[in-house]
Amino acid sequence: MKKILNITLLAAALSISFSCSDELLQNNGVSGESQPTDEFTNAQLEQGALTNEEIPAAFITGIYAQMFQTGTGGTNLNHDDFGQKGYDIYGDMLCGDMALSVSTYGWYRSDITEFQAPLDFTRGRNRMVWRYYYRLVRSANNVIQTLGGNDFTPETDFNKHAMGQALVMRAHSYFYLTQYFQKEYNATEEILPLYLEPIGSNLPKSTAAEIYAQMEKDLTDAITLLNGFNRSDKVQVNQDVARMMLAYVLGAKGGRDTDVATLTQQVINSGNYTMLASGEVTNGFSDYSSPSWMWGVDLTETNELDLVSWWGQIDAFSYSYAWAGDYKAIDSDLYAAIPNDDTRKGQFYNVSTSGRYLQPLFKFFASSEIGGTSRTVTADYVYMRIEEAYLLNAEANAKSGNEGAARTSLKALVERRVPDASYVDALSGQALLDEIYLQTRIELWGEGKSFLAMKRFKATTSRGDNHLSFVGEAIPYNDERMQFEIPLDEIQNNPFISNQNQ
């Protein structure tokens, strides 16, 4: 047991460290202590991983842990630095679907809702986004190296599945980097360094075409490697999540709508998940055992999350900023677009005279009392739901001209939300696309998907009157304010990068 523990601790250390003491973004985008050398060398780990399944398992566990750990964006004090769900909030706020309706403590206000970070590369939120995703890239590269490297196919099923998970997580991280650091897909634009090894010299920016090609390769390989993988926990990515990630990548790139439709239909046809019924959309979204959740994490007291967490920012029923004075609410215009007989309208507090107006009091809740009774977070995080597959399938089919299939997928969801979904049958052309986009924003509100949809649909957003700034201003998807800046640290420490993306 002691040896197993040492391996696990070493894997965790390697996942956040690098081999020199240079500044933050030098050497694959992450900083930390020098690599420990008192127990195993990298060569020993690589050799051992071929026969000892505990080694790649520990590395994989370390990747998933970073998705919900605090401080993974490189700060010690920021209460918005808590992994993937933190950047989901960034996206939801940038696109305007999530309003900061009351600001007492100031989190998110200047850098995000007032766009100071996307307009100033010296602002720390640029650094957080960059560091977090490149840290995950490095961790995935550690796994890939211990299993033989990028061009090696492991022999055992366990190691194939570990390799597949690492490839998905590398592609997942690069996908979010492309979404946050490029305005829209431009094949020839140089946008990001492409690191495929855990340790190495700084690299110049690769083109979007090169980044997307690598993501597609990683995910296509992962789908094959994950064949037959029966995961023990939804925190692990499986073949269905890999297909969905590939669908998101191809959807963001554009021009591959039939492939996106095929991938999402395969996920739908898997029969592994069930969309939420009408009465379940106000169930709190806090239990990862939900049959609609494809990917999520079961948080417990041992994870030691508290105020600094997604629940600590969004949920008024937790000990949270959303309870104490930093209210996050659905955009008032988006709320008005939800039909009155749609069960999802009941997710939001609709007393207009209250300061809590349009908070998601009945979509997300971790307890039965405003303010909560405990500072310890045990409510779960959702990363992906089966509803995303239906919506993305409808979108891809509509864009490719297969409108009948698009209506079928869209109606399958809508009929679970409204008493009469027959209106979907008459939709076509732009009206059909508009409805799919609207349903995506309504269904997935607060789950970090609105920003991605805004870019795919090339939409222009306009903030409702419950925002604190830029109310009514039209902001297109490719506006400068919809893209983070390459951070100051990277500009200073990587000699190959001296300019921002256009």
Side-chain angles (χ1 to χ4, degrees), residues 242-259:
R243 289 192 175 107
M244 283 297 294
M245 281 309 309
L246 181 54
Y248 273 119
V249 168
L250 298 180
K253 181 180 179 181
R256 299 280 296 277
D257 295 317
T258 55
D259 291 329

Side-chain angles (χ1 to χ4, degrees), residues 70-87:
T70 60
T72 47
T75 72
N76 294 320
L77 298 175
N78 283 10
H79 287 194
D80 56 347
D81 185 357
F82 44 82
Q84 176 62 42
K85 298 302 290 183
Y87 307 112

